[in-house]
Amino acid sequence: MIAFTSVPRLKPRDPESHKGTYGRVLVVAGSTGMSGAAVLTGSAALRGGAGLVTVACPESIQLIVAIGNPCYTTRGYLQVHDLFEAADRADVLAIGPGLGQSPEAAAVVRQLLDRYRSKPIVLDADGLNNLPMGGELFRNRSLPAVLTPHPGEFARLLGSSLAEIPTQRETLAGDYARSHEVVLLLKGHHTLVTDGHHHYTNRTGNPGMATGGSGDVLTGVIAALMAQDLSPFDAACLGAHVHGRAGDLAATAIGPISLIASDLLTFLGPAFQEVACENGSASSSPARSS
C-alpha cells in the first residue's frame, strides 16, 4: 500500500459563498439515554465547516437534542421512512452514534445504506454494531462508505478475537477495506486510515481523549469534510488529524485527566487554523511518503 505522511487541506472559502456552498449533513444518531451522542455529532459537523446540519433522532429525545445546540435543525422520527425526505436533501449522512442496538435501529441503518448508495456516508458505533457481519451493504457504492470502528468493533466486523487486532492492524485493516470497498478508520493510538490501497497513520491525539463521546465528534467532523467535497479517504485523514490535534490543544489547556468530549468542539477551530496555516495553500490529497 502507498503510505501518506501529510493531510489534505480545505480550499480557502470564496467570499461569494453561502451556507449551501459547504454542504448539508444529516446526522442520524441518539436514543433514550444517549441524546448527548446526537448533540456532539451534530455540533462537530458544524465545527467541521458544514453549511447546514440536521440531526435526526427518535421523537422521544428530539427536544433534548434541539436544546443541545441552536445552530443545527432537528428532525424526530418513529421509523426509517420518516427520515427519507431529510436524507434525500442531504449531501452526506452520518449514521450511528448513540443509536443503540435494536431491531428498529438495525432497520434504520440497513435501509439508509441500501437506499442511499450514491451519497457519502460515515458509519460509527451502532451504525456498525447493528449490521450483520459480511459487509454486503458496503459494496457497489458510488463512493466508499467511511467506517470508524474502535478495535472491539473491528474485531466484530471481522468475526475474530480482539487479541488479533493490535499485532496485525495494518494488514487486517487494509485487507478489510479493499475487499469491502470502504475507507476504514481504525481508532486507537496512532489511528490508521486505509482504503486498501493507500494508508495514513495519524500522529495527533493523547490518552485524555479516552472518554465517552470522542468518537461522536470524529464522526461529525468527517461528515462535514465530505460535505465540503473532500474524498472519503481525504476526509478521514484530515478528520483524524484535526480531531487528535483538538485533543492535544485541550489537554495542554486543561490537562488530560479532565478532558471531556465537548472540549474537543472548543478546540477544533484552532486545530483547523493550524492546518490551514501550515503551508498557506490548499491540497487535494495527502503527500506520499518517499
Side-chain angles (χ1 to χ4, degrees):
M1 288 193 292
I2 299 172
F4 288 94
T5 58
S6 63
V7 294
R9 291 163 179 79
L10 292 167
K11 295 178 181 178
R13 294 205 161 192
D14 186 339
E16 299 297 325
S17 61
H18 52 83
K19 60 189 176 184
T21 306
Y22 303 108
R24 297 172 180 264
V25 172
L26 177 67
V27 172
V28 183
S31 59
T32 300
M34 296 291 286
S35 55
V39 173
L40 287 168
T41 309
S43 298
L46 291 167
R47 290 291 187 187
L52 292 161
V53 177
T54 297
V55 180
C57 58
E59 284 188 352
S60 59
I61 64 168
Q62 185 179 3
L63 179 58
I64 300 171
V65 173
I67 293 170
N69 195 317
C71 299
Y72 53 59
T73 59
T74 60
R75 186 178 189 93
Y77 68 89
L78 292 173
Q79 54 186 348
V80 66
H81 298 87
D82 300 330
L83 297 172
F84 290 161
E85 180 182 355
D88 287 345
R89 294 164 54 194
D91 299 305
V92 179
L93 307 182
I95 305 171
L99 277 182
Q101 296 182 56
S102 67
E104 294 76 19
V108 167
V109 176
R110 288 196 304 267
Q111 291 190 49
L112 289 176
L113 272 174
D114 188 49
R115 183 180 176 95
Y116 296 102
R117 290 183 174 270
S118 62
K119 287 187 187 287
I121 285 181
V122 188
L123 280 176
D124 180 46
D126 291 329
L128 300 170
N129 294 329
N130 278 294
L131 290 175
M133 290 184 294
E136 290 79 8
L137 288 171
F138 301 147
R139 299 187 180 96
N140 302 316
R141 302 184 58 83
S142 299
L143 288 171
V146 178
L147 279 55
T148 62
H150 58 56
E153 291 164 344
F154 186 45
R156 179 191 168 277
L157 289 173
L158 290 174
S160 67
S161 70
L162 179 59
E164 294 179 44
I165 306 302
T167 58
Q168 306 177 63
R169 64 196 300 265
E170 187 172 310
T171 298
L172 291 172
D175 289 348
Y176 188 92
R178 185 168 48 253
S179 63
H180 291 82
E181 302 172 12
V182 300
V183 171
L184 185 76
L185 184 152
L186 182 56
K187 299 173 186 173
H189 182 53
H190 293 164
T191 288
L192 176 68
V193 180
T194 180
D195 62 2
H197 306 284
H198 313 87
H199 72 92
Y200 167 74
T201 301
N202 187 54
R203 302 294 179 181
T204 61
N206 63 84
M209 298 171 69
T211 183
S214 289
D216 305 332
V217 174
L218 177 62
T219 298
V221 171
I222 294 172
L225 294 175
M226 288 199 292
Q228 294 167 86
D229 295 327
L230 286 190
S231 71
F233 180 77
D234 282 1
C237 292
L238 179 55
H241 175 86
V242 296
H243 178 257
R245 186 60 186 143
D248 290 340
L249 293 170
T252 298
I254 63 175
I257 293 173
S258 296
L259 195 158
I260 58 175
S262 56
D263 295 324
L264 302 177
L265 300 173
T266 301
F267 288 95
L268 278 172
F272 273 110
Q273 285 182 307
E274 284 187 356
V275 171
C277 293
E278 280 176 1
N279 69 0
S281 63
S283 172
S284 60
S285 61
R288 298 184 185 188
S289 62
S290 57

